[in-house]
């Protein structure tokens, strides 16, 4: 049994399979062709933080695969009344076939997985957002081909998205130019994780414009992630120069793409003319969450389909 708790949990070979499978699953979806490998299977989705894309993509995706879903939040389950996470895992995983969790600390999802009888998927923690990077790389491949040897510029917070990009770079052989304000740097050890080979896969820049130079993809995220709202005012000041604008896009390669996991704040981490401009692929990126997660759920439950 495999869990998907961080990007490092799958190999480059497994990612190659998933990207191919996601393309096929997407093609079938667009053609209204039935694809029901998960009939009678149930996905439990546990949300301790808000969501639009993750909720809709997992829920719609599971139904499209022929399965069904149970949606739980902290407020409407015993999770919010201090039932130990291990006990919740023992109970929930006896009744469903797959669990997706969006929560705070990575340790919480690891504790759940430790007691789960079924595969667990990380739908975002403070530390990682692997399903999003899976969709982002799939989107890059759709538009530009292989990401191997390419350069991604990360402009903004050293957060869950940045950490996951670093894991992916080490695993899939591309480079990340990271520019964060002072005090919001990436924790390199955590980002790369056990077994990760980071040599040459990332480089730090104090100037975000320099980070964008020669990049094939420029990407950013909110200045204040969920769970850090108390720091909002301090962050607004610290991040003022980390707004992706036309000048940064002009420093990147002429065919560079722009991505943002969304939700976005125009005029904060990105200017409207960039996110709504011709280089932006944010809507494909959002849609692709569903296609790659369908491939992922199928893989975790059924393995490779010949
Ligand atoms: N990108 C993403 O995970 O969006 P939601 O918070 O809406 O799920
Ligand atoms: N970094 C953001 C991503 C939201 C999808 C957060 O954790 O809130």
């Amino acid at each position: 049994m495999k869990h998907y708790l961080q990007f490092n949990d799958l190999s480059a070979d497994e990612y190659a399979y998933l990207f191919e499978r996601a393309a096929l699953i997407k093609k079938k979806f667009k053609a209204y062709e039935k694809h029901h490998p998960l009939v009678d299977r149930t996905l439990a989705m546990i949300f301790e933080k808000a969501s639009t894309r993750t909720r809709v993509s997992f829920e719609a995706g599971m139904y499209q695969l022929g399965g069904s879903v149970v949606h739980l939040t902290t407020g409407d389950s015993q999770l919010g009344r201090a039932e130990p996470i291990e006990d919740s895992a023992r109970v929930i995983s006896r009744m469903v076939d797959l669990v997706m969790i969006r929560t705070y600390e990575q340790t919480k999802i690891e504790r759940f997985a430790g007691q789960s009888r079924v595969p667990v998927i990380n739908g975002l923690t403070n530390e990682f957002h692997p399903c999003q990077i899976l969709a982002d790389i799939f989107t890059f491949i759709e538009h530009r081909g292989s990401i191997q040897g390419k350069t991604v510029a990360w402009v903004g917070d050293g957060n869950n998205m940045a950490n996951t990009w670093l894991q992916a770079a080490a695993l899939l052989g591309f480079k990340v130019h990271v520019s964060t304000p002072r005090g919001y740097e990436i924790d390199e050890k955590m980002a790369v994780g056990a077994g990760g080979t980071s040599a040459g896969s990332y480089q730090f820049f104090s100037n975000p414009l320099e980070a964008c130079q020669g990049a094939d993809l420029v990407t950013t995220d909110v200045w204040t992630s969920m769970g850090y709202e108390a720091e909002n005012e301090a962050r607004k000041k610290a991040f003022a120069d980390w707004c992706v604008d036309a000048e940064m896009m002009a420093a990147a390669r002429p065919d560079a793409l722009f991505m943002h996991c969304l939700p976005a704040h125009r005029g904060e981490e990105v200017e409207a003319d960039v996110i709504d401009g011709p280089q932006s692929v944010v809507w494909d990126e959002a849609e692709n969450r569903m296609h790659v997660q369908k491939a992922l759920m199928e893989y975790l439950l059924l393995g490779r389909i010949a």
Side-chain angles (χ1 to χ4, degrees):
M1 184 178 74
K2 270 181 196 299
H3 299 298
Y4 192 55
L5 307 185
Q6 48 183 296
F7 203 86
N8 282 350
D9 285 344
L10 296 177
S11 66
D13 189 49
E14 287 172 305
Y15 281 113
Y17 169 77
L18 282 182
F19 293 136
E20 240 179 68
R21 194 73 191 158
L24 179 82
I25 287 172
K26 180 172 182 176
K27 208 168 138 197
K28 284 183 155 193
F29 171 79
K30 297 285 178 190
Y32 295 96
E33 217 180 289
K34 236 185 235 162
H35 182 62
H36 284 174
L38 300 187
V39 172
D40 292 336
R41 306 290 181 112
T42 306
L43 164 73
M45 306 189 297
I46 301 172
F47 284 97
E48 299 207 295
K49 292 175 176 170
S51 168
T52 296
R53 280 143 287 269
T54 304
R55 166 91 193 262
V56 177
S57 57
F58 270 105
E59 188 159 340
M62 190 57 176
Y63 284 125
Q64 290 162 22
L65 292 172
S68 56
V69 300
V70 176
H71 176 249
L72 291 162
T73 67
T74 313
D76 64 16
S77 68
Q78 300 289 6
L79 289 160
R81 298 182 64 249
E83 179 166 16
I85 193 88
E86 289 82 1
D87 290 358
S88 303
R90 290 181 183 110
V91 172
I92 295 168
S93 71
R94 280 179 181 237
M95 301 182 194
V96 303
D97 304 279
L98 193 58
V99 179
M100 188 286 304
I101 307 180
R102 167 167 287 196
T103 188
Y104 292 88
E105 298 80 17
Q106 183 73 11
T107 49
K108 228 170 157 181
I109 198 170
E110 282 165 2
R111 282 167 56 204
F112 190 105
Q115 297 304 323
S116 176
R117 288 184 167 190
V118 301
V120 177
I121 299 173
N122 181 346
L124 182 143
T125 56
N126 291 349
E127 288 86 352
F128 297 115
H129 198 1
C131 292
Q132 183 67 55
I133 301 303
L134 187 62
D136 293 6
I137 295 173
F138 179 71
T139 308
F140 186 89
I141 294 168
E142 276 190 324
H143 285 269
R144 295 285 181 266
S146 172
I147 198 164
Q148 207 178 353
K150 297 287 199 290
T151 299
V152 175
W154 175 265
V155 176
D157 193 14
N159 66 9
N160 42 14
M161 284 290 296
N163 290 338
T164 314
W165 270 116
L166 291 200
Q167 283 201 343
L171 197 63
L172 300 182
F174 60 92
K175 195 165 177 174
V176 186
H177 286 178
V178 181
S179 182
T180 65
R182 201 188 289 263
Y184 298 93
E185 292 90 354
I186 276 157
D187 173 349
E188 292 175 63
K189 252 193 276 136
M190 200 250 317
V192 175
T197 51
S198 59
S201 63
Y202 58 91
Q203 197 180 336
F204 293 103
F205 295 81
S206 47
N207 181 346
L209 188 64
E210 278 174 28
C212 294
Q213 264 158 25
D216 299 278
L217 167 63
V218 177
T219 185
T220 185
D221 188 10
V222 290
W223 290 344
T224 305
S225 284
M226 292 181 278
Y228 299 83
E229 289 80 2
E231 301 173 12
N232 202 22
E233 285 314 308
R235 283 172 173 265
K236 274 191 176 167
K237 287 195 194 99
F239 282 79
D241 293 333
W242 275 262
C243 172
V244 177
D245 57 13
E247 193 188 357
M248 289 188 199
M249 290 308 296
R253 283 175 56 96
D255 65 347
L257 300 173
F258 172 78
M259 288 190 198
H260 188 311
C261 65
L262 307 175
H265 301 82
R266 289 168 176 78
E268 289 192 13
E269 73 274 9
V270 60
E271 292 295 4
D273 60 349
V274 172
I275 192 167
D276 299 318
Q279 287 165 281
S280 172
V281 290
V282 297
W283 314 123
D284 289 346
E285 185 188 357
E287 177 191 325
N288 282 335
R289 285 290 301 278
M290 187 174 78
H291 306 303
V292 297
Q293 288 162 196
K294 283 168 75 178
L296 177 68
M297 290 192 285
E298 186 191 69
Y299 180 64
L300 292 178
L301 289 178
L302 305 179
R304 287 183 196 232
I305 315 265

